[in-house]
Each structure stands twice: as structure tokens, then as C-alpha cells.
Amino acid sequence: MKAVEIKTGIFWVGAIDWAIRDFHGYVTPKGTTYNNYLAVDEKLTLFDTVKYNFGDTTIANIREVADPSKIENIIINHIENDHVTSLDKIMHLAPGATIYLTEKGKKGLERLYDISSWKIKTVKTGDTLTIGRRNLLFIETPMLHWPDSMMTYIREDKILISQDAFGQHLASAARFDDEFLECASVFELEDAVIDYYANILMPFGNLIKSKIAEIQKLGLEIEVIAPDHGIIWRKNPEKILKMYLDMAGGAAELKVVIIYDTMWNSTEAMTLPLMRGIKEEGIDCKVLKLRATPMSVAIKEFWKARGVLVGSPTLNNKMFPSVAEFLHHVAGLRPKGRIAGSFGSYGWGGGAVKEVYESLKGMKLEVFEPGMEALSRPSPDDAEKCYEFGKAFAKKVKEYHAQF
Ligand code: FEO
């Protein structure tokens, strides 16, 4: 893909990774993009780079617009590998360029490259840089999502280059939200935003709220939000800001997701009457088997729903390993504003449901107890109890949801 002008003199010069399906452990069924940007001004300025195997691509895109050896400034908003590992190639072409990044960014960069011969200036929130007719404003966003992270605002063009925040893993010929929606649904775009947020930014809801408030307090007019992945928000930047504020505030759909695994299909057999009970209360329900579902998809579906039922058979008096793995991931993401319960089958002693509750309580989630257990294959009586359990849980989910 060629360079794309996003505003007069500001170009997308990134790369589309159509083929990536495993992004450091997250499934990316729709690929991704590594977005970086070039401002053609008195001082040619590059914003971020791309993943190492796309270095030649971004250099070719830059070359369409300007001679890369003329780059004078390189803004590094974030030093994760997908954005910084072409920096050496760029610096080889433009060895006199000055790199601007946060203090933490500099410390991280030292671990990746020998920077002794590079000109580096560290910046903090409120610092500015004039590149000609344009003025840049740097805004640190530590832990959104790495300690080094920052955003750069181009004042004259009203563009916020937001690094990972507001991004999505979507490979597309479309560069902009309005272009994307000409050939895809709003659901597809929103689903990609939620997937990204759930798997990467879920722990940082409070930080997101305060950082967006800080940006609003600065009185910055934002016409374009240009993230480092996926489509650029030029038609409706307010939409992505609202989605982030909503998610940071704990927004969820009034529905239940049943996430389970099974050994001999007994725990699985419980899911159908549970779902019937939930549906009976007028609540939508989705059912996911963990070994049939990529982890990042299970995390996204967990995050979308207000209520979750976690099902596990007992193995050696403990929960099933895939369920433990799922709860381990969820715990690390520090979810809030979700109500959870548990169910499962056992052969003799039990233990899985108790352990699932311990995990859920450890996360300080609202829990619905006692859980639902069945000895071996659920009997018709067990199925009836599952149905009633599903109904009771759905009622509780409705009550809990009302407070949001
Ligand atoms: Fe897209 Fe945190 O890297």
C-alpha cells in the first residue's frame, strides 16, 4: 500500500500485515496494521516506525513522499517491538535525526539498540516541538499501556497520534473509519475495538478516564485520532472516545456468557439447561468451550457480557487446566463491573467449582453463590436445577446491571 495523505502534508506511511494470526499470543483473524506517520514540514518528521519485518515497506512509503535521509525528527510514542524495531533502518538512512521520546522510552530503547551515536531528547507532558509551520505537543500516557507510552498532538492539524490507544487489529485497504464502514459493518469495527481494549487495556480503565479528562482539560480540539493499529478516526473521532470512556466506566451488554470446558461432556451437558434458564429471563446468552476458543476471544466475550458463568469439571480435586488458564488471564486483566458464578460436574470428591469461586473472589468480582454442581452425567433432576440456577443468575445479572 502506498503512502496515504491524512491531512495536507501529513501522511500515513505504515504497513499492512494481512497474514499475522498470532500477535504475541492474541489471535488476529483479521490481521493488523502498523501505522506510522510522516509530516512534511520545514523539518521532515516521522512519528513511530513499524515492526522489523516491514521496515522496507515503510521506507518505500516514506520515499514516495520525501527522501528518508532528510528526516530530521523521529517521534517515538511507544517502544514496543511492533512500533520501534525498524528504527535502526531509519537511523541508518537518517543518522542525523533527533529522536524524541519519554525518559522511560529512552531507558527501554537502550535495551534494544546501541543508541550511543544517536541524538536523543527526552520529553514530558506539555513539552512542545516546532517543526516548521506545525507545533507538536507531547502528552505522556504512562501505563497506557507501557510505562514509556505517550501521544503526540499536531496542533495546527488537530491530529492526535495516539499510539496503541484507540487502535484495532484490522488489516484493511481502508485507512479511515468512513472508508472502512463503506464495506464493513459497524459491528465489525466496534468488535475489533472491544477486542483490543479487553485484551490490552482492560486493567487501565481508571487511567484511561483520567487521561481523556486531562486531554479535554487541555482544550485540544481533535479532528483526527490516528492510532498505531487499524483504521484512523477522521469522520467520527468522538465515537472512539465515547467507546473508551464507556468501557473504562465498566460498560457491558446485558447478557450472560457461559465459558466452560469439559472432560466427558457432563459439564457441557449442563450448559444447555443453564442457557434455557437464562433465556427464560429475557437475557441473551453466549456459550463458549475453552478448548475450542482462542484465549483472546474468550477474554473479549467475557468483557462484553455483564454476567459470566464459568464451568469446569473436577480433575484431581481441582479445576480443569484450561479453565485455570482462562481465569489466570482474566485475573491479570483486573476486570471490574462483572458478576460471575460457577458450575461443573465431578466424579467423586468435587473441588473445581469451589476453586473457581476462590479465583473469582480473588479478583473481587461480584459473585453469585452457591454454584451448581452435578455428580457425573447430569440427571433430569440436575438439568432442572441447572435451568433454575440459570434463571436465578439471570435475574441477579439484571439487578446488578441496573446500577451501571
Ligand atoms: Fe502495538 Fe504496545 O504495541
Side-chain angles (χ1 to χ4, degrees), residues 23-24 33-34 78-83 144-146 148-149 163-164 169 196 200 228-229:
F23 188 97
H24 67 38
T33 68
Y34 312 107
H78 178 32
I79 58 154
E80 193 163 1
N81 294 36
D82 48 332
H83 306 298
L144 289 179
H145 70 121
W146 274 24
D148 65 288
S149 300
Q163 43 94 17
D164 281 331
H169 286 311
Y196 198 93
I200 297 173
D228 277 1
H229 296 288

Side-chain angles (χ1 to χ4, degrees), residues 289-358:
K289 179 182 173 182
L290 279 167
R291 276 179 297 153
T293 308
M295 184 57 66
S296 51
V297 174
I299 296 288
K300 175 187 70 177
E301 295 299 338
F302 161 80
W303 179 245
K304 277 183 160 186
R306 181 64 71 201
V308 59
L309 287 177
V310 179
S312 175
T314 292
L315 176 65
N316 298 326
N317 302 112
K318 301 187 82 64
M319 64 177 129
F320 201 62
S322 58
V323 178
E325 183 190 4
F326 168 70
L327 291 171
H328 175 77
H329 276 263
V330 173
L333 291 164
R334 305 197 295 274
K336 291 187 180 70
R338 303 297 185 273
I339 180 166
S342 181
F343 66 97
S345 66
Y346 61 96
W348 49 97
V353 168
K354 177 171 171 280
E355 207 182 13
V356 169
Y357 274 110
E358 284 169 4

Side-chain angles (χ1 to χ4, degrees), residues 73-124:
N73 302 316
I74 302 174
I75 314 301
I76 296 294
N77 288 308
H78 178 32
I79 58 154
E80 193 163 1
N81 294 36
D82 48 332
H83 306 298
V84 83
T85 46
S86 294
L87 182 58
D88 51 342
K89 280 191 170 180
I90 304 279
M91 289 304 289
H92 181 71
L93 295 172
T98 303
I99 297 167
Y100 293 83
L101 77 181
T102 62
E103 185 63 45
K104 290 259 169 57
K106 184 183 173 192
K107 284 195 165 66
L109 202 62
E110 285 169 345
R111 311 295 294 180
L112 294 172
Y113 293 116
D114 173 5
I115 64 170
S116 54
S117 64
W118 293 354
K119 280 192 276 180
I120 293 190
K121 288 195 175 159
T122 58
V123 294
K124 52 189 183 329

Side-chain angles (χ1 to χ4, degrees), residues 186-261:
V186 172
F187 173 84
E188 190 177 343
L189 181 54
E190 289 181 350
D191 196 63
V193 169
I194 295 168
D195 183 84
Y196 198 93
Y197 184 99
N199 280 285
I200 297 173
L201 296 168
M202 193 196 299
F204 309 119
N206 287 337
L207 273 171
I208 286 167
K209 280 192 280 188
S210 62
K211 192 49 69 176
I212 291 177
E214 185 185 324
I215 290 169
Q216 287 168 337
K217 207 170 163 186
L218 287 170
L220 307 180
E221 206 180 327
I222 296 172
E223 287 184 359
V224 175
I225 294 179
D228 277 1
H229 296 288
I231 65 102
I232 297 162
W233 304 88
R234 75 171 174 190
K235 173 87 174 174
N236 197 355
E238 299 81 17
K239 177 185 176 72
I240 187 66
L241 285 171
K242 180 173 183 332
M243 279 189 79
Y244 263 55
L245 282 171
D246 287 349
M247 287 189 286
E253 295 172 32
L254 176 52
K255 71 176 191 183
V256 171
V257 60
I258 298 175
I259 296 178
Y260 75 99
D261 219 324

